[in-house]
Amino acid sequence: MTTVQRTFRRSLAAAAALALSAVVAAVPATPARGDATDTFTVGSLGQVVTFNPFLAFKQGELDPISQLYPTLVWGNAQRLPEHYLADKWTTSADRRTWTFSLHPGLKWSDGKPITADDAAWTLNLVHTNATAGTANGQLLDNVASVKASGDSTVVITTKDPQVNLLDSVGQVPIVPRHVWESRVKTLGDQTNTKTPLVGYGPFTLKSYKTEQSTVLTANKDFFLGAPKYDTLVLQYFKNNDAAVSALRSGEIDQVDRITPTEYKALKSVDGVTSYPQVGARWTGIEINPGARTKSGKKMGTGHPALADAKVRKAIALGIDKQTLVKKVLDGLGQVGQGYLPPAFPAFSWKPPQVTPYDPAAANALLDSAGYTKGSDGVRKDPKSGRALTFRLGTHSDTTTDAQIAAYVVGWLKKIGIGVTIEPLSSTNLNDRLAKGDFDMFMDGWGTGPDPTYLLGIQTCRTLPDNAEGENGNTDAFFCDKRYDALYAQQLRTFDTTQRSAVVGQMQQILYDANVDLILFYQNNLSAVRTNAKNGFVTGKADGQGFYPYQNYTRSWRYAQPPSSSSDGGSSGSAIIWILVAVVVVVGIGAVVVLRRRAGAADRE
């Protein structure tokens, strides 16, 4: 089953920092690893501002939400759909009607029964209400109706046959109607962080402290099996260096998406196992092509010259992706080409004609388009008279952005384009992105086996309703009717080869538009304390040492404490997951609590 993650954005679409005040007094200290075999601590960059399942699409928010609210189906270790609320499902001969039979006897955390009406009401709200559809509405565009038949049967009818309906509904959290129906009018203002939070899943919300912590208590009666660790701490750091230091010292048990330098260094650390996965994410630069609302009204502060496809093409020609892979990734990745990463080859695509690194061609293109250089070497827009000096927003909490930006400044200077680097907090960056208040931003997304969500954020329907960015989930204000038609076509194409060809056409359109410049696919580099690896890392390494792509939110439930038997259940003590957003102030030694899109994630 696919989930998508926006990295570093409201990260993430909803991205962002996947930054905050003193935590020591407010949150129980993380126990020493040797004294706490029932505690699993994950280090990550992230932000949590909402547990509203209708709005959230950042990794740091989606992770706890996935533990607090159920879906009809969810992803197994291979991220393919398996039963959750629905024990089984059938489809009609014309593939337009899906009938889901719910597991009997399940109850919300307030004791009221979970019914088909809850599921039908939630899905209909996401499908028909613009605010409720902020995060996931595009997944249900092909839905004609959702109805409850009795207490335990949900019937979904689609306009056209849809190849990935299971994947789509598996990404939409189901909420209790009796709690949320009264909140619909103010849905956009609901952060849903107060207790008691009524939900159902492996955990319930014990407490949430703004910019400090979220405490989840395990549901020992979870019908699919309670977690084996008593306590899990998801601890957020300002940067990877701090997280890796914590892993070295034994303060945390696992860290994901580390830099190549950190990864190589950790390979020689006793008690730590480093493991790579083929990249399921891309890192790129998104360019504002002229932000507009759904109605076509101009918005934002983007430089007008970036609406010219020739300027965007010149920028693409002016960036040396191979050098970025070599210098920034230390060779641990691949040059970016298609919009979908290579981890899932069924939809991976390579352009027939690759845009090379060719500054001479970039200069010639800009010369022919009338962008002449001034005495300072910076070109001017012949229409507005403005210098071609563009803002490049970077995430202040990642060293990778800073490394890339330094190269980009030098490369674009060679073609007469100035770049002003703007390090921004993830919250600030994502707020500005939503309003079109940018020229260029560093960005990243991840995906799973089905690419629909990631493809969907490039459709016109994800543009915002107004200049404030409301009810929008656009990646970069891209809108192309040809692309939208192909998006609808791939949903109803059941033959994988044929569907892949349609998705390839979509990626060609994106590649030619140069709105998202895909720089590279970094190998997903992770490390875990060796004594905490059992049950957490799934699958076996291939001949090149790569592990299957991991489903971490699933792994949290299956990870086994060192003292656990292979078939044991949860321990007898209270099972609590504590998700703590922490910023470590490097050089000062102070620990400051903070509060991603994994994004989408970053959404994954």
Side-chain angles (χ1 to χ4, degrees):
M1 190 177 94
T2 305
T3 49
V4 185
Q5 185 175 78
R6 179 70 173 267
T7 43
F8 313 126
R9 228 173 76 179
R10 291 189 272 195
S11 257
L12 114 332
L18 259 168
L20 288 166
S21 60
V23 67
V24 177
V27 180
T30 302
R33 294 296 95 205
D35 300 328
T37 56
D38 60 353
T39 298
F40 190 87
T41 305
V42 176
S44 182
L45 303 175
Q47 285 190 355
V48 175
V49 297
T50 184
F51 293 145
N52 185 332
F54 299 103
L55 304 182
F57 55 91
K58 311 178 210 175
Q59 177 190 1
E61 296 164 351
L62 292 172
D63 287 350
I65 286 173
S66 72
Q67 309 301 310
L68 296 170
Y69 290 103
T71 49
L72 289 179
V73 298
W74 63 355
N76 62 14
Q78 292 74 40
R79 300 193 175 200
L80 300 174
E82 67 176 8
H83 68 93
Y84 189 176
L85 284 187
D87 281 337
K88 60 182 180 179
W89 49 88
T90 60
T91 58
S92 62
D94 64 2
R95 295 175 172 176
R96 285 182 168 88
T97 302
W98 295 69
T99 303
F100 296 85
S101 300
L102 305 191
H103 189 84
L106 300 180
K107 296 181 179 181
W108 296 109
S109 55
D110 64 357
K112 295 188 177 181
I114 299 174
T115 69
D117 181 67
D118 291 311
W121 181 84
T122 301
L123 295 172
N124 277 316
L125 187 67
V126 171
H127 179 48
T128 60
N129 182 288
T131 303
T134 296
N136 296 309
Q138 69 267 30
L139 295 173
L140 304 182
D141 277 348
N142 188 42
V143 168
S145 67
V146 184
K147 297 179 180 179
S149 177
D151 288 338
S152 60
T153 303
V154 177
V155 181
I156 299 177
T157 303
T158 60
K159 302 170 187 174
D160 297 298
Q162 181 170 335
V163 63
N164 71 328
L165 185 84
L166 288 177
D167 185 88
S168 293
V169 298
Q171 295 184 62
V172 183
I174 303 302
V175 303
R177 180 176 182 173
H178 65 275
V179 172
W180 284 88
E181 192 164 26
S182 63
R183 300 179 181 181
V184 172
K185 291 184 179 179
T186 58
L187 197 58
D189 301 322
Q190 298 285 335
T191 59
N192 196 36
T193 54
K194 294 182 180 181
T195 56
L197 183 153
V198 181
Y200 181 79
F203 301 91
T204 59
L205 179 67
K206 181 176 182 180
S207 67
Y208 170 77
K209 296 181 181 179
T210 304
E211 301 186 346
Q212 290 192 19
S213 66
T214 303
V215 180
L216 301 181
T217 302
N219 177 3
K220 297 181 184 180
D221 297 322
F222 184 58
F223 83 108
L224 292 174
K228 294 177 173 58
Y229 267 97
D230 288 352
T231 304
L232 181 136
V233 180
L234 184 56
Q235 183 171 327
Y236 292 92
F237 294 86
K238 186 176 182 180
N239 55 56
N240 278 2
D241 289 342
V244 170
S245 294
L247 184 71
R248 284 174 173 269
S249 68
E251 179 187 348
I252 65 175
D253 292 298
Q254 192 268 343
V255 64
D256 191 25
R257 296 182 199 139
I258 56 181
T259 67
T261 300
E262 294 160 344
Y263 172 77
K264 290 184 176 181
L266 286 172
K267 290 181 74 69
S268 61
V269 175
D270 289 340
V272 173
T273 299
S274 300
Y275 56 101
Q277 305 155 58
V278 176
R281 309 180 59 78
W282 54 256
T283 295
I285 296 175
E286 59 184 30
I287 299 176
N288 186 342
R292 296 176 183 270
T293 65
K294 283 187 178 75
S295 64
K297 183 179 179 180
K298 293 182 179 181
M299 59 179 287
T301 61
H303 196 298
L306 291 174
D308 187 345
K310 293 181 179 179
V311 173
R312 302 196 302 272
K313 177 70 171 182
I315 293 173
L317 288 164
I319 294 177
D320 186 353
K321 299 178 182 179
Q322 187 63 60
T323 291
L324 292 178
V325 171
K326 181 179 179 180
K327 298 294 186 180
V328 177
L329 300 185
D330 202 11
L332 297 176
Q334 301 178 41
V335 169
Q337 295 180 342
Y339 181 65
L340 299 176
F344 306 105
F347 299 104
S348 183
W349 170 88
K350 294 182 179 180
Q353 291 185 317
V354 175
T355 299
Y357 172 55
D358 192 341
N363 274 306
L365 180 60
L366 292 172
D367 287 342
S368 66
Y371 294 92
T372 58
K373 290 183 178 179
S375 58
D376 59 356
V378 178
R379 297 178 182 273
K380 288 189 176 182
D381 179 5
K383 294 182 179 179
S384 68
R386 291 176 56 181
L388 290 198
T389 298
F390 304 135
R391 301 163 291 173
L392 174 59
T394 63
H395 299 85
S396 57
D397 56 1
T398 169
T399 57
T400 301
D401 274 17
Q403 291 175 291
I404 294 170
Y407 282 106
V408 170
V409 169
W411 289 329
L412 295 192
K413 182 178 180 180
K414 294 179 181 179
I415 64 173
I417 293 177
V419 176
T420 302
I421 300 175
E422 294 186 341
L424 303 168
S425 70
S426 292
T427 299
N428 190 3
L429 187 150
N430 291 305
D431 287 346
R432 287 178 54 176
L433 186 147
K435 298 176 182 178
D437 184 16
F438 72 100
D439 295 329
M440 303 188 296
F441 273 151
M442 292 300 307
D443 193 22
W445 276 98
T447 187
D450 187 90
T452 298
Y453 187 95
L454 194 57
L455 295 171
I457 60 173
Q458 299 290 356
T459 59
C460 299
R461 65 99 59 209
T462 62
L463 296 175
D465 288 344
N466 52 45
E468 295 303 311
E470 293 180 340
N471 301 330
N473 189 24
T474 182
D475 179 55
F477 290 92
F478 178 77
C479 177
D480 187 303
K481 297 300 183 183
R482 298 172 302 155
Y483 180 93
D484 284 12
L486 290 168
Y487 175 80
Q489 182 179 343
Q490 62 89 24
L491 286 177
R492 57 180 183 265
T493 303
F494 282 75
D495 181 89
T496 301
T497 300
Q498 294 176 5
R499 186 183 180 206
S500 180
V502 175
V503 170
Q505 294 178 58
M506 298 171 69
Q507 294 187 77
Q508 181 73 66
I509 291 173
L510 293 173
Y511 190 79
D512 293 341
N514 291 303
V515 171
D516 278 292
L517 304 183
I518 311 301
L519 301 178
F520 54 67
Y521 318 108
Q522 179 176 346
N523 296 343
N524 191 21
L525 307 175
S526 306
V528 62
R529 299 293 301 182
T530 304
N531 66 353
K533 179 182 176 183
N534 190 28
F536 181 79
V537 180
T538 60
K540 296 182 179 180
D542 63 16
Q544 296 180 305
F546 285 95
Y547 280 82
Y549 202 72
Q550 305 292 302
N551 183 345
Y552 285 124
T553 54
R554 183 183 185 277
S555 295
W556 293 344
R557 189 160 60 91
Y558 286 93
Q560 298 176 11
S563 59
S564 239
S565 64
S566 61
D567 60 348
S570 61
S571 70
S573 57
I575 302 176
I576 300 176
W577 289 36
I578 308 171
L579 292 84
V580 185
V582 177
V583 168
V584 178
V585 182
V586 180
I588 301 177
V591 179
V592 182
V593 185
L594 294 183
R595 194 318 265 166
R596 142 177 163 113
R597 172 211 215 230
D602 161 305
R603 193 165 165 157
E604 179 168 18

